[in-house]
Structures are given as structure tokens and as C-alpha cells.
Amino acid sequence: MSDYAIEADGLRRSYRSRTGWLRPQTTVVDAVRGVTFAVGRGELFGLLGPNGAGKTTTIKMLNTLLIPTAGTARVLGHDVVRETREVRKRIGYVFGGDRGLYERLSALDNLRYFAELYGVPAREQKARIGELLELVGLTGREGERVEGYSRGMRQRLHIARGLLHRPEVLFLDEPSIGVDPVAARDLRKTVADLAAGGTTVLLTTHYMAEADELCDRIAVIAGGELRALGTPTELKRHADGRRVVEVEAYGVAPGTVELLQALPGVRGVQIEESGAAQLLTVQSESDVDVQSDVLAALNGVRLGRVSARQPTLEDAYVAIVSGDGGPARESLVAA
Amino acid sequence: MRLLTIGGVISYRALFNWATPAMFIGTLLVGPVFQLLFFAYLGRQLGVADDGFYIVGNAVLAASALCLFGGSMAVLNERRFGTLGHVLLSPRSRTLTWIGRALPYAGNGLLVAAFTLVMGKLLLGLPIPAGAWPGLAATLASAALACAAFGLVLGAFALRFRDAWLINNTTVTLMVLFSGTNVPRESLPGWMQAAGNFIPVTHAASAARSLVHGASFGSVAPRIGQELLIGAAYAVLAGVLLKVFEAESRRRASLDTL
Ligand SMILES: Nc1ncnc2c1ncn2[C@@H]1O[C@H](COP(=O)(O)OP(=O)(O)OP(=O)(O)O)[C@@H](O)[C@H]1O
Ligand SMILES: [Mg+2]
């Protein structure tokens, strides 16, 4: 038996797609370009990365839905290409999104059918389904057809389905998408409990706080390549030697971001709308105090709260995926 | 076993577009009866064949179209709902899963064929010997099974090709033509007659006609056997194709594109 629950070794996957009908053209997208990592048994492992980074593709290779173009992967010691049945018996897959459910059936019937497909013994099915409906908070509405479900309700049903057969390894691809804050907190607790109970979890999410709270280790993937791998604390070091200034502003002129970006010492600028205001996040090197320069550049703009803070996982993430983060790259940039 | 039966019934409700009372009655019960009347009156007008020919032919055909589309929807609609990936993650026997899906359509087809036959008898007054009914039931059942298996073959193509409805509709039309349900087979060109031997419905329709004309069950049994054999062959073909196309979808990532 292998020591690891999930082992990915040099995984690659490219997609071919055809466009055009009269003159068909084939385009090849290299979605995953050689990803290697290992997840221990009972570990809660996060996979972060921008849209199109290759997270879902990686998960689909690990859960047997896609065959890698190159590289190998094993789940609980079973090869994902050759021993599909062994792998499938032991994994659960929750995929974020509206689709993937039988619209014309009730939640209960959806779960019944998948309980059958996923090999839940007949005499346990009823109790198990009841338990899961309770867990995801759908009790009382299980008789309604899924077509009338809200987005979050669908997502809860997705989660219940993924857990039906008590999988040893759980792939959660954006499980909290569309779920309200209270339910998201319940979900985080559920995931943490599962991991505490020995289930290995591979989670992707775009919510940094969620990843920070839950994950034992995190891999950041961008452009199909692994950019960083470590515990949340380790990853935050990628933003070490940085200072973050947040400025609340009203009516920032277009082009301001570029202006701020060009200031000496500034390493990254983000702008985010929040109601009537815009929130500017300026990351800078720690030995340069850019605050006064930033405020000068924003001359004439009405400002709200201005604050300096310690870098978070989100800052580290931004540093990593924007490609200039990390001690390893630092010298390159400076040179 | 539960996967075959309960799983089959749930999936039928999930995937069959016509599993609502209105659609069921309209498309599956009333529709075929009118089609039957259309052909029967046309036949009377042209003097090509008698009522019995059309009544029996269309009863068998009513079952076949349903089973064919049903088998195909059993796979095609998975793609529409985006559920195919979740189904393919099942570690259980694919054969049971897919056959379980085809069976309810066969049962449904049998029901529809029987209804059409009875309506034809009532509306057009076809005398059917009382002793012929058990044989007719067996014949219609064989046709329904064979068609459901054939439907799964079409369903398998739905895994691979986007334009599954094009294939379905063309197939049904060809089936009506080749099987001789509405055109006496003797009047077809030789190659069409030959093709008819290898598709569902042909042998069952011919057996049912003989029964209505008073033939004994023993004399039509070989034809029922042929129909079942054809059904079994298509079931095997469906199994192989589903396996091949599933493997291919893992390689080409063709599952989530529609
Ligand atoms: N079936 C497909 N056919 C062609 N290209 C695809 C297919 N699926 C994904 N891709 C491409 O592969 C790349 C990686 O996609 P993937 O879904 O793995 O990203 P992701 O990291 O999960 O993104 P997101 O955060 O948006 O979910 C993208 O460029 C995408 O366009
Ligand atoms: Mg994704």
C-alpha cells in the first residue's frame, strides 16, 4: 500500500479543438504542463490558481475522467488510467456548477440513483441519504424537482452526492460556489470534519480565506504549471518583504492603476469595486514606504479609509500568480 | 439487480422526454393511432393491402420508434444535463447500467404496441382470433426488446457525435421503409428487402401478421427467435460501442462539449 493518497507525477494534458467547418483548424491547448505533487492520507490539500489554470483538468485526470497526455497518477496506490474501477470505488467528486443533476427528478431520486450507481448497499441507502440531506440542509425539500432549485441548493445536492458512498478520497472542485455564507461555513466544517475523520480531500476554490482556514497544504497552479507548494504559512512568505496599503477611493480615473504600478517600489496594484467606492490594494517592497507617493498620485480623488496591513494568503497568491513573487524569483527581477 | 431494475426505472423517469402524462398520451398513445388510421385509409384507397396489414405493422412500429428514441435519449440526455461524467464515475457494471436503461423502454413499447393494436381493432374492426393474443404479446415483446437494444446503439453514437437527432430521425425513417411495416416488402427493391432482414421489427411484424391471419404460434416461433437474435446482436454491439466511445471520451475530452 502506498503512503500517499494521491500521487501525480509529471501530469500533462492538452486539448485539441476544431474550429471552422469549411476550413477546419485544430488548435491545441496545453492545459496542464507537467504537474507533480503528492497528497498524504487524510490530508486536506488545496489547489489554487486563476481561471483556466488547469485545476479542473488536473482533477479530471486524477478521478479517471480524462487520460493524461503524459505522466502518471495514482490514487491510493491505484493507477488512474489502468485501474479505473479500483480508483472509482474509493473516490468522490463534487463539481461546482448548475449542471450535472437530473432536472426532472427530485433531490431524493437523484441521490437514490447515484447511491445505486456508486454501490451504496441497498439496506443502507435510505439512512445514508437521509443523513446527507440533513447534513447539507435540504431536508424537507428533497421531494421537489431539481429544476426548481436555486443555485446554492443544487450545489448542496452536488455535495451530498459526492459523499454518498463515503469515499476515502474526495475531490472538491469549487464546492462552495453559489453557497450562502452560513452554508459555506457549515460546508467548511463538514470538510474539516471529513478530513479529521481520515478522508483525504483535494479542494479547489477561489476563496483564499477558505483555503487558508482549511488546507494543510496548498499548491498554486497557473498556466498549467505548479508555481508554489507549501503550507499556508509557508506560502505567505511569498508575500514576505512586502507591505500592503489599502486605500478606499471614490471615482478613480482610468489609467490610475498603471500610474500607481509605475511608482518606485510598487510591486502590484489591484482595484476592486465595493459599492460606491473602489478599493485599491497596493503591494510594495517592505523597505520603501509608498504610502505618501500613492496618496500623491491619487491627488484630487476623494479618499476614504487608508490602512497598511500584513500580507494575507491572498496577497501571497497574487504575488505567486502574477509571476514576480517568491524568494526564488526576487533576484531575477532585481537583476 | 437493483441497478438493473430500480436504477432503470429512475433513469427512465430522469431521461425520457415523454415521461409526462401529456406527452405520454399525446406522443405515445394518440399519435400512433392516427398514424395507423392514416396508413390504413391510404391503403384502402390505393388497394395495396388490407387493414390487417397496416394495423399490425403500425402497432409494431409504434413500439419501435419509442424504444429507439428512448434508448438514444437514455444517453443523449445525460449530455444535456451534464450528468454523464458522474455516471461514468460509477464503479459498477456498465452492462447492467445500460441494459437497465433500455428495459423500461421495451416495457413501455410493449404497452404502446398493444394499445395501438387494440385501438386498430376497435376503430377499424379487424377480427383477431382469440387464440392469437398470447402469440401477439410474445411477438410485440420481442420487437420491443430488439428495438430498445437498437436504441442503445443509437445512444452510443450520441456519446460520440453531436448530431445524434439527425441519426435518430434518419434511422427511424429508414426502419419504416426497410422493415415493410407500411409498404409490403415484396414491392421493395432486392437490396432493401435484404437490409430489412438485419433490422428489428421486420421479422416481428411478419410474425404478427401471420398470427392475425390465424397462423399457429409454432409456425411463427422461428421469426420471433430471429427478432430476439437480432435484438441480442444489437445489445452486444451497443455494449461494445459504449465501451469504445467511453474510452475515447477520456482521451479526447469529448464528454463535456455538446
Ligand atoms: N473540453 C475542453 N476542450 C478544450 N479545451 C478545454 C477543455 N476543458 C478545458 N479546456 C481548456 O483548458 C484550460 C484549463 O481549463 P481548466 O478547466 O482545467 O481550468 P481551471 O483551473 O479549472 O479554471 P477555473 O478556475 O475557471 O475553473 C483552459 O484554457 C480551458 O479553456
Ligand atoms: Mg475549474
Side-chain angles (χ1 to χ4, degrees), chain A residues 3 39 53 71 83 107 109 112 141 159 161 278 293 299 308 320:
Chain A
D3 293 338
V39 180
E83 301 169 82
D109 283 338
R112 275 194 191 135
R141 308 206 52 179
I159 294 160
R161 170 175 59 194
Q278 288 136 322
D293 286 351
N299 192 16
I320 294 164

Side-chain angles (χ1 to χ4, degrees), chain A residues 107-108 111 126-144 149 153 156-157 160:
Chain A
L108 192 61
L111 291 178
K126 202 164 173 228
R128 183 66 183 150
I129 290 172
E131 193 177 301
L132 286 170
L133 286 169
E134 190 71 48
L135 181 74
V136 298
L138 283 178
T139 311
R141 308 206 52 179
E142 71 270 25
E144 295 171 33
Y149 271 25
M153 288 167 73
R156 291 161 187 233
L157 187 53

Side-chain angles (χ1 to χ4, degrees), chain A residues 15 17 29 31 49-57 174 206, chain B residues 253 256-257:
Chain A
Y15 293 107
S17 51
V29 178
N51 295 133
K55 303 180 295 295
T56 301
T57 305
E174 301 188 37
H206 288 299
Chain B
D256 23 35
T257 46

